[in-house]
Amino acid sequence: MDIIIRNANLQDGRSGIDIGILGERIAVLQAGLEAKAGREIDASGRLVCPPFIDSHLHLDSTLSLGTPRLNQSGSLLEGISLWGELKPSLTQDAIYQRARKLCVWAMARGTLAIRSHVDICDDRLLAVDALVALRDELKPYLDIQLVAFPQDGYLRTASSPENLLRALAKGVDIIGGIPHFERTMADGAASVAQLMRLAAERGLMVDMHCDESDDPLSRHIETLAAETVRHGMQGRVAGSHLTSMHSMDNYYVSKLIPLIAEAGVAAIANPLINITLQGRHDTYPKRRGMTRVKELMAAGVTVAFGHDCVMDPWYPMGSHDMLEVASMALHVGHMTGVEEIKSCFEAVTVNAAKVLNLENYGLAPGNNADLVILQAADPIEAIRLRAERLFVIRRGKILAETEPRVAKVQFGGEVKSLDFTRADLDLC
Ligand SMILES: [Zn+2]
């Protein structure tokens, strides 16, 4: 073996597992592995999991906070106009450098796959050129999927249909959309139908910003699901945000969720952003905007979570930590039951891998030797502590390391070291 990780806890509850890595693959995964390796890492009963995945991000705007100015109101609409102010002065290199920096942050956080939307409404397509180059350059480090995203509307902006085709020709992987931002409900539905036809013709996956609104009558997800069935694209289509579902009539939702499940359309919630941008017109009670994660999961829909924004015109916070995303989701979604917390961890790991259609993902013999060792015993502790990623391994090579987080307290005449894990409690 090249590397053996000893005494690991796994996401599924197994413990005391040794993981043998040979080359770029996991060779063996069992208790008491009798083999030698060039490097042995003692996980000491900590959680070892496959890499985190961010299923919804905007790499073209990330880390642009403060250029040209800060969002004073913090609202979605001021964010969109700020992005509009920034666009004329954007350069391909500036986009590239910021996105590259974010990807290095992601690696340190053990996030080794990102699906990023890229705005195609600027006729120069600078962001497309920057991010296609970045995706190809960073292939050894992390997987990036790019979605052609008509931020200013597909039918609403005259050049969008042509720009979208140009973006695909430049190598963008996935077709996006924004039906709730078209001028009418009818235009929104028409945009979904046209974009789905295009995706079906080209054999491409689809991921639309869909119903990112508090309007309970924003029902484009219904059209997206129906078109998915029509074209036989089950398992290859995702609806991002779906925040209007938070506000929809319950009777209508009882019909809608089974349709989404039958269509095999995945749902991507962005809890950090949904909770801060939705409900802005409300007084009290304030709606929190996140889609119906619990109910979608219960119906068998694949639900993943995205970070969406990190220090950009829409969101001044964040350091690209998918455990922070999972934590926010479980708080907003009232998902503090044991299995519910675990399902939030899955939404930033295995569920997201399904949405991205990643191959050879997961801790099993034959799969890619991509994994993270966390300073936590299990997924619940990992979310609670937003645990450090002690080791991040990509294709059998150590990509990132972080020292364990330990506090030292002068107390009772001695120095106590503590890390807030349950192991601390045993010492009390
Ligand atoms: Zn988005």
Side-chain angles (χ1 to χ4, degrees), residues 8-255:
N9 288 355
L10 303 185
Q11 202 171 340
D12 61 14
R14 280 180 286 168
S15 60
I17 300 295
D18 296 341
I19 303 167
I21 296 171
L22 194 58
E24 297 192 344
R25 301 277 174 161
I26 294 171
V28 58
L29 193 131
Q30 65 176 69
L33 173 63
E34 287 186 29
K36 292 235 178 317
R39 171 100 193 244
E40 297 222 356
I41 300 172
D42 185 4
S44 306
R46 289 174 171 136
L47 175 63
V48 180
C49 67
F52 297 105
I53 298 168
D54 185 354
S55 51
H56 188 114
L57 185 64
H58 294 262
L59 277 172
D60 48 5
S61 54
T62 195
L63 304 185
S64 66
L65 184 68
T67 35
R69 61 183 177 85
L70 292 168
N71 184 334
Q72 294 302 325
S73 66
S75 70
L76 172 61
L77 289 180
E78 188 176 341
I80 291 174
S81 57
L82 241 176
W83 179 236
E85 289 170 37
L86 174 58
K87 267 194 217 179
S89 63
L90 276 178
T91 66
Q92 189 177 326
D93 190 55
I95 297 167
Y96 177 86
Q97 295 299 345
R98 285 196 292 259
R100 194 167 187 270
K101 181 70 176 185
L102 191 285
C103 288
V104 178
W105 285 13
M107 291 172 211
R109 296 286 198 201
T111 299
L112 299 187
I114 293 173
R115 175 178 283 183
S116 172
H117 295 253
V118 49
D119 185 0
I120 53 97
C121 289
D122 180 342
D123 293 341
R124 298 169 299 171
L125 295 184
L126 297 178
V128 169
D129 287 331
L131 296 186
V132 166
L134 186 72
R135 177 195 65 194
D136 296 345
E137 181 206 333
L138 294 188
K139 188 72 194 154
Y141 302 93
L142 81 172
D143 297 302
I144 297 175
Q145 291 182 348
L146 297 175
V147 184
F149 173 48
Q151 169 86 69
D152 301 334
Y154 183 66
L155 298 177
R156 185 173 175 160
T157 309
S159 58
S160 275
E162 194 195 330
N163 283 355
L164 191 127
L165 292 176
R166 288 170 58 214
L168 296 178
K170 284 173 178 284
V172 170
D173 312 277
I174 295 168
I175 291 183
I178 186 164
H180 58 277
F181 195 68
E182 306 295 349
R183 296 318 291 260
T184 65
M185 287 292 175
D187 275 1
S191 76
V192 172
Q194 289 181 27
L195 289 161
M196 285 297 293
R197 197 177 316 125
L198 181 63
E201 283 166 10
R202 301 201 171 203
L204 296 175
M205 291 192 284
V206 172
D207 187 338
M208 291 195 195
H209 283 66
C210 196
D211 304 323
E212 187 181 8
S213 160
D214 289 320
D215 176 5
L217 296 178
S218 186
R219 295 175 169 186
H220 299 293
I221 178 59
E222 181 186 73
T223 309
L224 185 64
E227 290 291 325
T228 300
V229 174
R230 188 192 315 280
H231 293 291
M233 288 176 60
Q234 290 89 341
R236 298 178 57 75
V237 176
S240 278
H241 292 296
L242 306 177
T243 54
S244 73
M245 286 182 69
H246 186 98
S247 300
M248 279 176 185
D249 171 70
N250 289 330
Y251 183 85
Y252 173 69
V253 171
S254 74
K255 189 187 99 172

